[in-house]
Amino acid sequence: MNIDFPFQQPSLYGYKLNELKSILSPAFRAKQIYHWLYHRYENDAMRMDNISKTMQNYIREHFALSQIYPIRVEHSIDGSKKYLFETYDGHCFESVLIQMRDKKLGHKGEVVESEKWTMCLSSQIGCKVGCAFCFTAKGGFVRNLHASEIVEQVVIMKKDNQMAPHKRVNIVYMGMGEPLDNIENVTRAIEILSESEGLSISARRQTISTSGIAPKIKQLGKLNLGVQLAISLHAVDDKLRSQLIPMNKAYNISDILTEVRAFPIDTRKKVMFEYLMIKGVNDDLKSAKKLLQLLNGIKAKVNLILFNPHEGSTFKRPEMNDVKAFADFLIKRGLLCTIRESRGIDISAACGQLREKVKAENVSCETLT
C-alpha cells in the first residue's frame, strides 16, 4: 500500500475501504467509519457514536481527518460557488462547484428534474506547466495535493450544499494544477471517490483534463480505470501551441494524438478536446479546418471555451459571432462541438484568481481562518 501522507498521522480520506479493513480490528469497523465519513460527512471520531470509545480514541490517536478548510466562498448569480481552501501547511488552492441545471418543479410542487452539479477539483497547489493564458501559473508551483486532500474537496462541497451522499455529480480535474503531473494521487482519489460504500461516484463520471503529458496519458490508459479523458489542445499547430503551452516543445500535438488514439474509451463516450478561443489568435475558420483534419478518425468532441479575461493578460475574449461560426463549421462536417456556457464570471472564475486576490489583500491563509 503506497500512500503519500502529509501528516505523521495518515488521513482516513486517503484510504480505500479494503485498505482500512486491513488495519482496523474488527474489520467491520471500517465500513462503519466509511459511513460516517461519506454518508454523514462527519470528521470528528468522538461523534461516531456507534463505535466504541476505545475505537474513537484509537482513530484520534492514529489518524488525521480534516486537512483542508474552506476559508472563503464566493457565490455566483448563476448558482456556482468558488471555494478557497487552506491546507494543513498554510497554502491556498481553489475548487469550483458549478450548477449546470436548476431544479425543476411540477405544477403540484413535486421535483420533476433535480439540479445537476459539476465539481471542478484541483490536483496541485499552483502548476508547473506555465500556460500563457492561465492565471494559476502566476502563483507558481508549491506542491502536489495528496489523494486525501482531493477527496476532501468533494466531501466538503457536498456537505456545505446539503447534497445526499449518493447524489450524482460529475467530477472534472480541471482546477489548479496538471492532474497527470500528480497521477498517483489523482488516480487514488478517483478510486476512493468511486467506492460503492463511500460517495459512489463512478469513474465514468470523472474526467481528467490534461495539457498533454504524452507518457502519462499512456500510463493512465494502462490503468484502465474507466475515467474520461479531456485534452487541453487550444491550438492546431505546434508553433502556436508551444507559445501558449510551453510543454508542447516536449510533447507536441502528434505525440499527444498518438496516445489519445490508443487510450481505452468507453464505447458510449468520446475524448473531449478543449479549445480555448482567444480573439485574433486561434478563432478563425482556417484554424477550424485544421482542427477537423487533426481529429479525423478520433472519437472526439470539441468543447469551445471563451477566454476569461483576467488582470495582466494581453489576450482578449473572442466575439461570439466568430465562436459560433467556428462551431458551425465543425458541426456541419460531422464533428460534435459545443460552446461551453460561461459560469461564475462574477466570482473570480478563472483558476487562481481568488488565491491571488487574497494574496493581494496581504492576508495570509492563516489569518483568514
Side-chain angles (χ1 to χ4, degrees):
M1 181 165 44
N2 181 22
I3 308 177
D4 185 13
F5 291 118
F7 293 143
Q8 288 183 343
Q9 292 179 314
S11 168
L12 285 176
Y13 290 112
Y15 284 98
K16 303 171 193 175
L17 181 57
N18 284 338
E19 293 169 344
L20 206 55
K21 285 180 177 179
S22 71
I23 58 176
L24 293 181
S25 180
F28 73 84
R29 292 298 186 200
K31 188 173 179 180
Q32 289 179 312
I33 290 168
Y34 240 62
H35 181 89
W36 281 106
L37 293 175
Y38 297 112
H39 291 206
R40 302 286 292 274
Y41 306 136
E42 182 56 70
N43 58 18
D44 184 345
M46 306 312 288
R47 289 200 288 262
M48 298 178 181
D49 56 18
N50 65 340
I51 61 176
S52 68
K53 288 292 183 184
T54 300
M55 180 60 74
Q56 289 175 345
N57 288 325
Y58 178 84
I59 292 170
R60 291 191 71 176
E61 290 172 7
H62 293 87
F63 298 96
L65 282 169
S66 290
Q67 299 174 324
I68 63 173
Y69 309 89
I71 55 176
R72 187 173 293 186
V73 182
E74 291 189 345
H75 299 251
S76 172
I77 57 174
D78 64 25
S80 301
K81 294 183 182 180
K82 166 153 280 195
Y83 288 79
L84 182 67
F85 289 108
E86 178 194 5
T87 63
Y88 71 97
D89 51 353
H91 298 294
C92 293
F93 70 90
E94 303 168 16
S95 304
V96 185
L97 176 66
I98 306 168
Q99 186 170 352
M100 307 299 292
R101 183 179 68 199
D102 294 333
K103 180 188 292 184
K104 293 183 181 179
L105 301 177
H107 68 282
K108 294 182 179 179
E110 75 278 15
V111 177
V112 177
E113 204 171 50
S114 63
E115 303 99 323
K116 184 177 181 182
W117 300 97
T118 293
M119 294 182 177
C120 183
L121 307 185
S122 288
S123 55
Q124 297 178 311
I125 303 172
C127 187
K128 298 177 184 178
V129 178
C131 298
F133 50 81
C134 181
F135 203 82
T136 297
K138 182 178 179 181
F141 176 75
V142 178
R143 68 169 174 84
N144 288 332
L145 287 176
H146 304 273
S148 51
E149 294 171 306
I150 296 171
V151 169
E152 200 175 353
Q153 293 173 56
V154 180
V155 174
I156 290 173
M157 287 192 283
K158 276 207 157 195
K159 180 179 180 180
D160 186 52
N161 292 277
Q162 300 178 328
M163 292 186 196
H166 285 182
K167 164 69 178 173
R168 287 186 174 182
V169 297
N170 293 317
I171 302 292
V172 291
Y173 298 89
M174 295 182 183
M176 297 176 70
E178 163 55 61
L180 294 188
D181 196 31
N182 186 20
I183 188 169
E184 289 79 12
N185 283 302
V186 169
T187 53
R188 169 168 281 275
I190 289 168
E191 292 175 322
I192 294 169
L193 290 169
S194 65
E195 286 273 11
S196 59
E197 296 291 340
L199 293 179
S200 193
I201 303 173
S202 167
R204 293 194 302 272
R205 288 187 168 272
Q206 301 187 56
T207 299
I208 289 181
S209 174
T210 176
S211 51
I213 307 177
K216 295 292 180 71
I217 296 173
K218 184 175 185 177
Q219 182 182 345
L220 180 65
K222 286 182 177 179
L223 293 174
N224 203 21
L225 297 174
V227 70
Q228 305 307 310
L229 182 66
I231 303 295
S232 297
L233 192 61
H234 307 324
V236 294
D237 64 77
D238 285 323
K239 181 179 179 180
L240 175 59
R241 194 169 192 273
S242 295
Q243 292 171 1
L244 297 176
I245 307 174
M247 191 173 63
N248 191 73
K249 296 171 185 175
Y251 311 112
N252 64 24
I253 294 174
S254 178
D255 294 333
I256 295 166
L257 294 184
T258 295
E259 297 304 335
V260 167
R261 291 176 192 278
F263 192 85
I265 289 291
D266 187 314
T267 55
R268 296 167 296 176
K269 300 290 185 178
K270 298 177 183 291
V271 177
M272 181 185 291
F273 287 86
E274 298 162 323
Y275 191 90
L276 182 69
M277 299 199 72
I278 305 170
K279 185 175 182 178
V281 175
N282 61 355
D283 58 348
D284 57 287
L285 290 182
K286 183 178 179 181
S287 295
K289 183 177 181 180
K290 184 64 184 293
L291 181 59
L292 189 69
Q293 295 169 346
L294 282 175
L295 302 186
N296 183 42
I298 297 176
K299 199 175 178 182
K301 172 184 177 180
V302 174
N303 192 16
L304 302 180
I305 308 166
L306 280 65
F307 175 70
N308 191 15
H310 55 77
E311 185 179 350
S313 176
T314 58
F315 295 131
K316 296 181 179 179
R317 195 174 181 84
E319 300 295 334
M320 184 53 73
N321 287 341
D322 292 332
V323 176
K324 289 180 178 178
F326 196 105
D328 288 344
F329 180 90
L330 298 179
I331 293 169
K332 288 178 181 177
R333 287 155 182 82
L335 182 57
L336 181 59
C337 179
T338 58
I339 300 172
R340 182 183 295 178
E341 182 181 353
S342 296
R343 295 275 178 172
I345 290 180
D346 56 320
I347 55 164
S348 311
C351 285
Q353 284 191 11
L354 184 53
R355 178 185 178 214
E356 293 303 313
K357 182 192 294 184
V358 169
K359 285 184 179 180
E361 293 170 357
N362 293 317
V363 180
S364 67
C365 284
E366 292 89 341
T367 304
L368 284 167
T369 56

